[in-house]
């Protein structure tokens, strides 16, 4: 007895795309950007749902899903069926190892592919503070290639008498804590 494989092609250009795109002949997650080493960063999860597929006289032969996978993401394939393309069964996951469909047989079918990327650590530099004095102001310093809050402030004080006593009023709202006062001439 000869075995015959019946193929029902899926058009990945058509259907419902949620955080997925059909690009370069592949269904893939939407790219959010690139990290510092130019590695793509993807959305956490996405799916694609096919248009209703008319199985018609091939109903008894619609038992398996064949797949070609490339890349490092995780995926799950689901199917559902319908006798009239209006009332659909619940989504049933396709057996990942054999491709066997567990959805009840119907005149129409739909395929859903759920994709998630593999988790990996990425490095994103928001600002390298490479531009000297980019953020310099009365309270912030960026002159040494790092961003830091200024801790030392210079201010004019009034000299009282000949005994070296200096005075200056400092509003309470300026400081939460004063560690020390230095006299600099």
């Amino acid at each position: 007895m000869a075995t015959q494989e019946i193929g029902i092609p899926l058009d990945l250009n058509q259907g419902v795309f949620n955080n997925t795109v059909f690009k370069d002949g592949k269904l893939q997650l939407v790219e959010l950007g690139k990290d510092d080493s130019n590695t793509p960063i993807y959305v956490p999860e996405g799916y694609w749902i096919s248009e209703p597929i008319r199985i018609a006289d091939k109903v008894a032969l619609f038992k398996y899903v064949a797949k070609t996978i490339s890349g490092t993401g995780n995926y799950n394939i689901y199917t559902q069926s319908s006798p009239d393309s209006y009332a659909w069964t619940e989504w049933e996951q396709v057996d990942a190892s054999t491709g066997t469909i567990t959805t009840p047989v119907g005149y129409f079918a739909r395929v859903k592919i759920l994709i998630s990327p593999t988790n990996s650590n990425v490095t994103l530099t928001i600002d390298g503070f490479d531009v000297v004095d980019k953020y310099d102001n009365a309270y912030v310093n960026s002159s040494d290639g790092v961003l830091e809050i200024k801790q030392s402030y210079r201010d004019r004080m009034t000299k009282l008498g000949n005994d070296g006593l200096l005075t200056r009023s400092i509003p309470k709202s300026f400081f939460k804590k004063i560690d020390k006062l230095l006299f600099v001439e």
Side-chain angles (χ1 to χ4, degrees), residues 122-136:
V122 296
T123 303
L124 291 173
T125 302
I126 306 301
D127 193 334
F129 307 110
D130 300 347
V131 179
V132 176
D133 298 331
K134 179 178 179 181
Y135 297 103
D136 278 358

Side-chain angles (χ1 to χ4, degrees), residues 33-45:
K34 305 246 185 213
D35 71 356
D36 289 352
S37 61
N38 210 28
T39 303
I41 300 171
Y42 297 101
V43 294
E45 183 178 270

Side-chain angles (χ1 to χ4, degrees), residues 51-66:
E51 296 286 319
I53 305 162
R54 187 172 168 261
I55 305 297
D57 58 342
K58 301 174 188 168
V59 167
L61 301 172
F62 189 62
K63 297 179 183 174
Y64 300 99
V65 173

Side-chain angles (χ1 to χ4, degrees), residues 87-185:
W88 292 91
T89 63
E90 294 294 320
W91 289 106
E92 297 280 339
Q93 188 169 353
V94 173
D95 185 307
S97 59
T98 63
T100 305
I101 296 172
T102 57
T103 304
V105 175
Y107 195 74
F108 292 91
R110 287 196 301 192
V111 176
K112 177 180 181 179
I113 302 173
L114 180 67
I115 306 171
S116 60
T118 51
N119 291 334
S120 60
N121 293 329
V122 296
T123 303
L124 291 173
T125 302
I126 306 301
D127 193 334
F129 307 110
D130 300 347
V131 179
V132 176
D133 298 331
K134 179 178 179 181
Y135 297 103
D136 278 358
N137 62 36
Y139 308 104
V140 176
N141 176 30
S142 66
S143 62
D144 298 326
V146 296
L147 185 65
E148 63 185 0
I149 295 175
K150 287 185 180 177
Q151 297 176 352
S152 298
Y153 295 89
R154 292 184 175 261
D155 203 351
R156 297 244 175 230
M157 301 183 96
T158 307
K159 191 172 190 179
L160 293 178
N162 293 331
D163 55 356
L165 183 62
L166 300 171
T167 180
R168 164 78 163 85
S169 294
I170 301 173
K172 186 176 181 181
S173 61
F174 278 22
F175 298 100
K176 289 187 176 184
K177 178 181 174 185
I178 297 176
D179 288 335
K180 59 184 170 182
L181 295 174
L182 297 175
F183 173 69
V184 178
E185 251 185 86

